[in-house]
Amino acid sequence: EYTVTANTLICPGNYQMNDTDLDGAINFNANNVQLDCNEATIYSNGSGFGIYANGRSGIVILNCNVKTYREGVYFDTVTNGRVSNSNISGHNRDGVLFLDSNNSEVSNNNISNNTYHSVLAIDGAGNRVISNLMSFDTLWAVYYALQSGNGNIYGNTITNSDSGVWLGQSFNTVVENNLIQSNTLSGVLIEDNSGHTVRGNTILSNGQNGVQIFGNATLNTIQGNIIRSNGGYGIRILSGVNTIKDNNASLNTLAGINASSSGDAISNNYF
């Protein structure tokens, strides 16, 4: 195991680094420092954390290949952290896990083939998932859960997972300008939460619904998306009072929009 205490540049190569005590094969013991893996690969036997930080701020992870841990990168109570330009794949749970972390970012990574999710955010606020390629996860590629709020999921390509984006018991997150395509179930799911905006996305050829609002979700806005050729409805609304406008919801198998809740504002959509 290795502890980062200052700006660190790793020599290129392949390194088996097991994490037997669940504090990270690589962990941080300083604030405002950068780890640059220089395209090196770290891997394990499917357990532990690849790169771990607890209670830190201002840490940056760059150019890392992280494979076959339980979680690839785990931020626990981290503020203003960033994971960029890395390949994070083949983990037994999540590619990147944010727990109680705030204002942190996952950007320009290739995250794939994880048993749970590419990115899981639990609690915390202001976290950003930007311009990543996320694919072939067994569950949902991006999952904001349990009071995660004020997030931004922007400019990603999300394909071939169980579902694309699931906003569950979270609030006020913007899902914008993503390509969400060819997932087994739905493109975007909004459950038991409020205040989300799904805007300007291209949501194509998912196995069930393009966008589904259910549970006790309410006061969400679905605007200006292309939602086409999905296996169920383009947009399915099962709960709350929501705004649905300016979407192209054509060529979906069942219908463009299905609303079984009352009071939704539905206008200027193309079917």
Side-chain angles (χ1 to χ4, degrees):
E1 298 181 1
Y2 181 81
T3 298
V4 177
T5 59
N7 290 340
T8 300
L9 179 67
I10 296 178
C11 292
N14 296 311
Y15 304 95
Q16 182 171 1
M17 302 179 69
N18 297 326
D19 177 28
T20 56
D21 49 7
L22 296 180
D23 64 351
I26 299 175
N27 60 69
F28 284 80
N29 195 28
N31 298 325
N32 302 311
V33 294
Q34 175 177 292
L35 169 67
D36 187 340
C37 292
N38 197 23
E39 306 302 335
T41 297
I42 65 168
Y43 65 96
S44 183
N45 58 3
S47 62
F49 316 134
I51 302 174
Y52 177 69
N54 177 267
R56 296 296 163 191
S57 64
I59 60 172
V60 177
I61 298 166
L62 297 174
N63 305 317
C64 297
N65 296 302
V66 186
K67 299 181 178 180
T68 60
Y69 291 88
R70 195 184 84 180
E71 275 85 17
V73 177
Y74 183 2
F75 281 3
D76 184 352
T77 324
V78 168
T79 302
N80 297 323
R82 178 161 62 92
V83 183
S84 292
N85 301 326
S86 297
N87 291 290
I88 303 169
S89 64
H91 302 289
N92 278 342
R93 291 193 182 177
D94 305 299
V96 178
L97 170 60
F98 286 168
L99 177 64
D100 294 320
S101 294
N102 299 298
N103 300 317
S104 292
E105 179 176 300
V106 182
S107 58
N108 297 298
N109 303 284
N110 186 339
I111 311 175
S112 64
N113 290 289
N114 301 291
T115 301
Y116 285 11
H117 317 95
S118 281
V119 179
L120 169 61
I122 302 174
D123 289 330
N127 296 308
R128 303 173 300 281
V129 180
I130 300 174
S131 298
N132 302 281
L133 173 61
M134 296 179 280
S135 59
F136 295 102
D137 297 305
T138 305
L139 295 180
W140 321 298
V142 182
Y143 185 26
Y144 274 40
L146 300 177
Q147 301 307 308
S148 292
N150 301 310
N152 193 324
I153 301 167
Y154 181 90
N156 303 282
T157 297
I158 303 171
T159 65
N160 293 292
S161 293
D162 181 79
S163 291
V165 176
W166 194 313
L167 305 175
Q169 298 179 345
S170 58
F171 58 93
N172 295 347
T173 289
V174 177
V175 180
E176 186 172 15
N177 288 355
N178 302 281
L179 172 62
I180 304 173
Q181 183 173 14
S182 300
N183 297 288
T184 303
L185 299 180
S186 293
V188 178
L189 294 147
I190 301 175
E191 177 190 18
D192 292 336
N193 45 40
S194 65
H196 298 300
T197 299
V198 178
R199 178 174 59 215
N201 302 281
T202 300
I203 304 173
L204 303 175
S205 302
N206 298 286
Q208 295 185 359
N209 303 308
V211 177
Q212 179 168 313
I213 301 172
F214 66 111
N216 296 311
T218 191
L219 300 177
N220 301 289
T221 299
I222 314 299
Q223 181 177 5
N225 304 281
I226 298 171
I227 307 173
R228 301 182 64 184
S229 302
N230 297 285
Y233 299 99
I235 302 169
R236 191 173 192 195
I237 309 164
L238 298 170
S239 69
V241 177
N242 304 281
T243 299
I244 314 296
K245 63 181 180 179
D246 304 327
N247 300 285
N248 180 337
S250 61
L251 301 177
N252 297 286
T253 299
L254 297 181
I257 298 175
N258 174 267
S260 58
S261 62
S262 60
D264 294 299
I266 300 175
S267 65
N268 201 34
N269 298 284
Y270 175 77
F271 304 104

